[in-house]
Amino acid sequence: MKYAVTGSTGKFGQAAIKVLKDTIGSGNIIALARNTDKAKRLFPELEVRPGSYDLKDQLVTSLTGVSRLLLISSIPGQTVSRVQQHQNVINAAKQAGVQFIAYTSFPRANSAASPLAADHRETEQALRQSGINYAFLRNNWYLENERLFFNDALANRPFVYSAGNGRVGWALEREYAEAAAKVLLSDDPKTVYEFSGPQHDYADLGRALQVVSGHQFDITSTSDDELRKRLIAMGMKEPAANRVVSMQQLIRSGDLDEPSGDLADVLGHSLPTFEDSIKEVLAKLQN
């Protein structure tokens, strides 16, 4: 049985492939990548095939002989829409005879109000209609996404957020990737996984950062407008500041408040403590 991973050169793809290699060896794994030269450097022991989400006919050839596919969602805002890119992969997979697709989606994608969920909702529907067996891996938020706040803590700057009491199921990217690989290998996967770490709010994150970093700093809940002004005053471009504020808004509205034990269940062990996960991210930032 052949297993393939799209977006293999990204951090998520690399982490998923490591788990696959450690579990089944290298012989039946195919790394799909837009940049095949980079993929060959990263995975000299694997078969590498072209994997541009934009090129459906190319994908048909690359997916020939593949039984199970991990479809890692693409980055939005490209020339070809993300929905179309995902549809290209699904159409190609169907034509090539792929039997199962595990797709990295968004928490409660079928009902979440966030604009971030829309592309995932359409992709999930496309998979339902494809006739291919599937699993939706609805990943909550990567702890690594909070580098802005980590950097503030390391610099003893105030920890300022506007998400209110909104709760997030933070976990490490490698944990989501390991779970994705395990679902891909599963003989009897569920169709929907709500992958999430234990729920915390930003005040919890700030206090845990104080403990782990050994730094004391103010932890302040503010308005969206004040947060935006602060980010811009610190040198962030307005579009980037708006994206940060938008994320704070959707967290405040509860879009990531999805307590679930699916992640720990699939991993087969409990997750690290919040503080230990933060230590791991801080170590990466400091190296």
Side-chain angles (χ1 to χ4, degrees), residues 39-239:
K40 288 174 182 177
R41 290 194 299 271
L42 288 170
F43 313 116
E45 73 283 24
L46 298 187
E47 181 179 358
V48 173
R49 297 181 184 177
S52 171
Y53 293 73
D54 297 349
L55 304 175
K56 184 255 185 180
D57 291 341
Q58 180 191 81
L59 286 164
V60 173
T61 301
S62 293
L63 290 171
T64 297
V66 170
S67 298
R68 300 173 76 86
L69 173 67
L70 173 57
L71 171 52
I72 298 173
S73 55
S74 65
I75 299 171
Q78 301 181 69
T79 303
V80 178
S81 73
R82 181 157 64 165
V83 170
Q84 185 59 58
Q85 287 181 328
H86 294 169
Q87 187 69 66
N88 288 343
V89 178
I90 294 167
N91 291 344
K94 183 172 183 177
Q95 189 171 334
V98 173
Q99 299 165 13
F100 174 81
I101 295 177
Y103 167 66
T104 60
S105 190
F106 188 86
R108 295 199 306 265
N110 57 318
S111 60
S114 168
L116 294 176
D119 291 349
H120 297 290
R121 183 160 48 246
E122 290 192 49
T123 301
E124 288 190 1
Q125 183 61 19
L127 273 168
R128 290 189 190 95
Q129 295 173 345
S130 70
I132 302 171
N133 293 324
Y134 61 84
F136 302 147
L137 315 178
R138 292 176 174 170
N139 295 338
N140 209 283
W141 215 235
Y142 302 165
L143 189 56
E144 292 89 340
N145 289 345
E146 307 299 354
R147 288 184 182 90
L148 169 69
F149 297 98
F150 282 62
N151 287 330
D152 280 350
L154 291 172
N156 284 326
R157 291 191 292 263
F159 182 98
V160 182
Y161 62 96
S162 65
N165 296 322
R167 298 176 71 77
V168 184
W170 284 295
L172 297 167
E173 184 173 6
R174 66 168 177 81
E175 293 169 329
Y176 291 116
E178 179 182 349
K182 289 191 171 184
V183 170
L184 193 68
L185 294 169
S186 173
D187 291 330
D188 187 26
K190 300 196 301 183
T191 55
V192 178
Y193 294 87
E194 293 285 352
F195 283 153
S196 171
Q199 294 279 308
H200 296 280
D201 63 19
Y202 276 86
D204 294 334
L205 179 61
R207 288 189 291 267
L209 276 169
Q210 287 180 328
V211 171
V212 173
S213 70
H215 296 171
Q216 292 301 307
F217 44 81
D218 291 336
I219 301 172
T220 304
S221 177
T222 190
S223 68
D224 292 334
D225 285 343
E226 289 301 316
L227 178 61
R228 183 183 293 105
K229 290 175 184 176
R230 178 176 185 271
L231 295 172
I232 292 172
M234 291 172 61
M236 185 177 288
K237 299 293 186 182
E238 186 171 354

